[in-house]
Amino acid sequence: MSRLKDKLHDKIEAQRPRINKLLKEYGDVIIDEVTVSQVIGGMRGIKSLISDISYLDPFEGIRYRGYTLPEIFEKLPKPAGADMPYVEGLVYLLLTGDIPTEKEVEEVLDEFQKRRILPRYVYEVIDAMPCCSHPMTILSSAIMTMQRESFFAKKYKSGINKLEYWDSTYEDAMNLLAKLPEIGTYIYTKLYRDGKRIQQNPNLDFGSNFAHMLGFEKPFDEVSRLYFIIHADHEAGNVSAHTGHLVASSLADVYLSIASMINGLAGPLHGLANQEVLRWLIELYDKMEGKIPTEDEMRQYVWDTLNAGHVVPGFGHAVLRKTDPRYMLQREFSLKHLPEDPIFKYVDLLYKVVPPILLEQGKAKNPWPNVDAQSGAVLWHYGLREYDFYTVMFGIGRAIGICANIVWDRALGFPLERPKSITTDMVEKVAFNPKAKRSKKKGSAE
Ligand code: HAX
């Protein structure tokens, strides 16, 4: 057993009694109430999932294993001379809850290097995808194709004990994560570089190797590490995380679950918003013939978007009620590395003009920018102009968090997820009862 797996084993053994005690002795304690608006309105804010991998506070933003993102960037080991930490260190942290030492990061690097080779048929499936397939569709299909490799599926068939499920799930998770940079970059070269593939460099870390295979020079390795780390997890209720967990709860293996999570991420209200932001900004850039709009011109563009019945991509959030710290980290990066970039100037202008407009319109509960408002501008600046590809990078990052969640779901024996639906008649019967209790909660995400 690897030392990471050993440690994970000990952590799992320590966590199981906590969950068992909660279930056996406190199972009937009430945690939350559910209102009509939550039942009709996408279950916003109902506390009905558990995950220790990350937690999202509406005002503070995301914490991974209790650490804020600035703490993560400060504490995780970094390659020599780099500002952005090893992605491998984040994998270790999310799985175990501990900040790894340099040596422990090296072990994850070794693990990934042993597992990084992609079966030939995956290239063939990518090659065979019909013209104009979206890169996220290809990514999902490539992952699905590898389902035949699942250790968990094989072990399950052979009849292993429930308590051992996590072990083969961990193997699947590490195997898939190690291969994702190759899958993602092959999709990129296939779609946009005539299939001219750059071979992996086994001496490079996850982020650097990704940048290398994409064909981008430094500091794109830093951008990749930043990108994968900030997108890794956003607690358990968002569409991609929830989908991954839901599908895995049926004991579908990591490949089936992560392909499903990628499909959820590919919607424009979720991960695809990063490509939508760039598409929307480039439309304006072309209209302005490359000039920087005045504040009034930008305001007009935003109002035109709203008046056409569209959302302003990159703004708003189902849980956050302030500017997303993932946005702020990328903004700081941009102010340092690309302050004069015209698209960054557009993004900067949006940061000023959009929140007052959304407040004036009075619909969005959160008028502030989310992660997707800024991320495309950084990739665009460094030459990654094919914005349809941006969500693939989001998906690779997000797979890290979801894989950690699925390993723990299996370890703690979380059951099949199966909430209850009711009919409109039933909701009306409760709602129209003169004695119906009303919630004192202000916002649905509280
Ligand atoms: N532009 C225009 N209208 C917006 C808006 C925005 N950016 N954000 C919210 N609204 C509207 C909603 O469409 C909704 O309108 P209706 O009442 O007409 O249906 C109303 O304001 C209330 O919505 P909300 O409660 O504030 O927001 P939701 O929890 O329903 O939705 C979304 C959250 C992120 C989907 C929403 O803010 C949105 O559509 N934003 C733009 C798309 C986007 O940036 N998505 C990425 C989010 C982050 C993420 O998941 N990244 O992967």
Side-chain angles (χ1 to χ4, degrees):
M1 221 194 255
S2 73
R3 285 170 22 142
L4 167 57
K5 204 155 136 185
D6 256 344
K7 184 163 203 175
L8 195 50
H9 172 266
D10 294 347
K11 297 268 176 182
I12 289 167
E13 289 300 316
Q15 186 71 355
R16 278 178 174 155
R18 288 179 71 193
I19 297 294
N20 287 341
K21 179 175 176 168
L22 281 169
L23 267 177
K24 287 210 172 84
E25 297 173 33
Y26 300 91
D28 55 354
V29 171
I30 294 167
I31 287 186
D32 209 355
E33 58 183 18
V34 180
T35 62
V36 170
S37 65
Q38 288 172 309
V39 170
I40 297 175
M43 301 189 280
R44 278 310 171 284
I46 302 174
K47 295 186 184 78
S48 55
L49 291 163
I50 185 164
S51 169
D52 294 314
I53 310 296
S54 70
Y55 176 74
L56 179 61
D57 179 88
F59 297 96
E60 186 193 52
I62 193 69
R63 277 179 185 258
Y64 293 160
R65 290 291 192 174
Y67 297 102
T68 63
L69 285 177
E71 286 166 354
I72 295 277
F73 282 95
E74 188 212 313
K75 288 180 191 298
L76 285 181
K78 302 178 177 72
D83 287 334
M84 300 299 158
Y86 285 110
V87 174
E88 289 84 346
L90 184 76
V91 172
Y92 189 99
L93 171 68
L94 294 187
L95 278 169
T96 65
D98 293 343
I99 299 281
T101 61
E102 301 259 352
K103 190 156 187 334
E104 286 165 334
V105 168
E106 264 170 42
E107 284 169 11
V108 183
L109 275 153
D110 283 351
E111 285 262 327
F112 279 174
Q113 274 160 21
K114 280 185 223 140
R115 299 167 188 257
R116 74 198 153 83
I117 302 297
L118 208 54
R120 172 176 281 280
Y121 63 80
V122 183
Y123 300 101
E124 290 165 1
V125 166
I126 294 173
D127 288 345
M129 288 297 286
C131 154
C132 310
S133 298
H134 191 278
M136 286 293 276
T137 310
I138 306 179
L139 176 62
S140 164
S141 308
I143 296 170
M144 282 288 288
T145 306
M146 286 195 298
Q147 192 274 332
R148 65 198 283 279
E149 310 291 334
S150 171
F151 276 109
F152 173 78
K154 286 182 193 107
K155 290 273 183 187
Y156 186 81
K157 213 167 157 186
S158 73
I160 47 165
N161 187 302
K162 266 182 164 189
L163 293 173
E164 293 166 26
Y165 285 172
W166 73 269
D167 187 310
S168 48
T169 301
Y170 164 88
E171 295 298 333
D172 283 351
M174 294 299 274
N175 281 338
L176 177 60
L177 290 177
K179 293 174 176 61
L180 284 177
E182 174 74 11
I183 298 177
T185 54
Y186 187 66
I187 293 171
Y188 181 80
T189 49
K190 176 77 198 159
L191 291 181
Y192 312 114
R193 295 286 182 270
D194 296 326
K196 289 191 189 100
R197 188 171 145 224
I198 302 171
Q199 296 291 332
Q200 303 194 27
N201 178 345
N203 300 317
L204 294 178
D205 63 272
F206 195 96
S208 303
N209 211 8
F210 183 84
H212 157 76
M213 288 189 283
L214 223 48
F216 289 103
E217 304 287 322
K218 276 177 185 298
F220 203 84
D221 56 334
E222 293 275 59
V223 174
S224 303
R225 285 191 292 270
L226 167 70
Y227 208 90
F228 293 140
I229 290 174
I230 62 173
H231 287 92
D233 207 24
H234 219 221
E235 77 168 30
N238 65 79
V239 170
S240 51
H242 189 197
T243 307
H245 163 80
L246 170 69
V247 174
S249 84
S250 74
L251 294 187
D253 58 60
V254 161
Y255 298 91
L256 295 168
S257 308
I258 296 296
S260 308
M261 111 37 196
I262 292 291
N263 296 343
L265 192 68
L269 295 186
H270 191 18
L272 210 77
N274 59 9
Q275 93 167 38
E276 292 303 288
V277 170
L278 251 284
R279 194 165 61 83
W280 182 65
L281 287 182
I282 295 303
E283 233 172 74
L284 178 62
Y285 185 77
D286 290 345
K287 221 159 91 184
M288 299 288 305
E289 294 174 341
K291 286 202 305 288
I292 309 296
T294 62
E295 280 189 30
D296 279 347
E297 284 168 331
M298 189 56 104
R299 266 191 216 104
Q300 190 56 50
Y301 189 58
V302 173
W303 274 117
D304 288 348
T305 302
L306 288 172
N307 292 335
H310 304 147
V311 295
V312 178
F315 285 78
H317 201 272
V319 177
L320 280 168
R321 293 295 175 257
K322 63 162 262 193
T323 297
D324 191 335
R326 301 172 299 174
Y327 176 93
M328 290 313 286
L329 278 165
Q330 295 180 93
R331 181 176 162 78
E332 280 161 28
F333 183 92
S334 303
L335 285 169
K336 185 170 166 195
H337 295 282
L338 44 128
E340 295 309 318
D341 184 281
I343 297 300
F344 172 62
K345 288 195 169 175
Y346 277 47
V347 169
D348 193 35
L349 207 47
L350 288 176
Y351 184 53
K352 251 194 210 155
V353 309
V354 173
I357 293 177
L358 287 179
L359 284 171
E360 189 183 331
Q361 194 207 28
K363 277 170 56 167
K365 294 193 186 69
N366 176 43
W368 309 109
N370 60 58
V371 64
D372 300 313
Q374 172 73 76
S375 61
V378 179
L379 301 177
W380 180 271
H381 173 80
Y382 287 107
L384 186 51
R385 298 276 164 103
E386 299 84 1
Y387 44 74
D388 280 9
F389 185 73
Y390 294 174
T391 319
V392 169
M393 286 185 68
F394 190 154
I396 294 174
R398 183 53 54 96
I400 297 167
I402 313 301
C403 278
N405 271 288
I406 295 173
V407 171
W408 274 94
D409 288 352
R410 290 277 200 275
L412 299 175
F414 290 154
L416 182 81
E417 188 176 308
R418 198 348 181 150
K420 182 86 187 80
S421 67
I422 50 178
T423 65
T424 306
D425 281 348
M426 291 171 184
V427 176
E428 283 177 345
K429 202 169 161 196
V430 178
F432 298 166
N433 181 344
K435 289 186 184 151
K437 277 194 246 153
R438 303 255 171 178
S439 171
K440 290 195 176 67
K441 282 182 185 175
K442 280 199 203 99
S444 58
E446 286 167 321

